[in-house]
Amino acid sequence: MANNFLKAGYEVLVWNRTQNRVDDIIGAGARWAETPKDAAAKSDILIECVADDAASRAVWTDEVTGILVGAHEGGVYIASSSLSLSWVDELADRCNGRNVSFLDMPLTGSRAGAEGGTLTLLVGGDEYVLDRINEDLKTIAAKIYCFGPSGCL
């Protein structure tokens, strides 16, 4: 996904717990963010992709380095991991409490879809927020569906 954003001319920041896992994308032109907080503070759109609720909770809510610490009004913050409904609901509430826009966005299309920019995005959240970034998301997706508020899938 990051490569598709780079190819389309976007400035891309990346963060991973293991920096050398993103060396290729940094070599292609992405910039390294020191923490999820830094990525959030310097981004208009942030897409989080991790393994599970525990990893997601860690990158969003750490009191020093978490996404929510760096999130700013006007940014759009997206969870694209396989997450439980209870965590998505809590995360949506936390974002709402900070007055930042949140979307939950499971992806389908596998690695081939991510590499080819042909993912299907299943989005929950404010439709106005999705409309604001719809053209941006077309960089990585062939189909984008809005299912209503966060957690509706």
Side-chain angles (χ1 to χ4, degrees), residues 42-152:
K42 296 174 183 173
S43 299
D44 295 323
I45 301 169
L46 180 139
I47 301 173
E48 167 260 300
C49 296
V50 296
D52 55 28
D53 281 12
S56 179
R57 185 176 293 278
V59 299
W60 283 91
T61 65
D62 184 280
E63 293 180 7
V64 176
T65 64
I67 292 168
L68 289 174
V69 179
H72 55 88
E73 195 171 332
V76 178
Y77 302 90
I78 302 170
S80 286
S81 304
S82 295
L83 304 172
S84 70
L85 179 56
S86 62
W87 171 234
V88 169
D89 286 346
E90 181 183 338
L91 186 51
D93 287 345
R94 285 179 179 234
C95 288
N96 187 45
R98 290 180 166 272
N99 203 28
V100 295
S101 298
F102 172 75
L103 299 172
D104 68 283
M105 190 178 78
L107 318 164
T108 67
S110 73
R111 183 180 189 104
E115 290 172 353
T118 60
L119 293 169
T120 297
L121 310 180
L122 311 172
V123 184
D126 186 320
E127 197 165 346
Y128 170 76
V129 173
L130 177 58
D131 287 345
R132 279 183 27 218
I133 65 166
N134 195 57
E135 288 302 312
D136 302 297
L137 294 176
K138 287 180 180 178
T139 303
I140 61 169
K143 297 177 184 173
I144 303 168
Y145 298 102
C146 185
F147 285 90
S150 291
C152 277

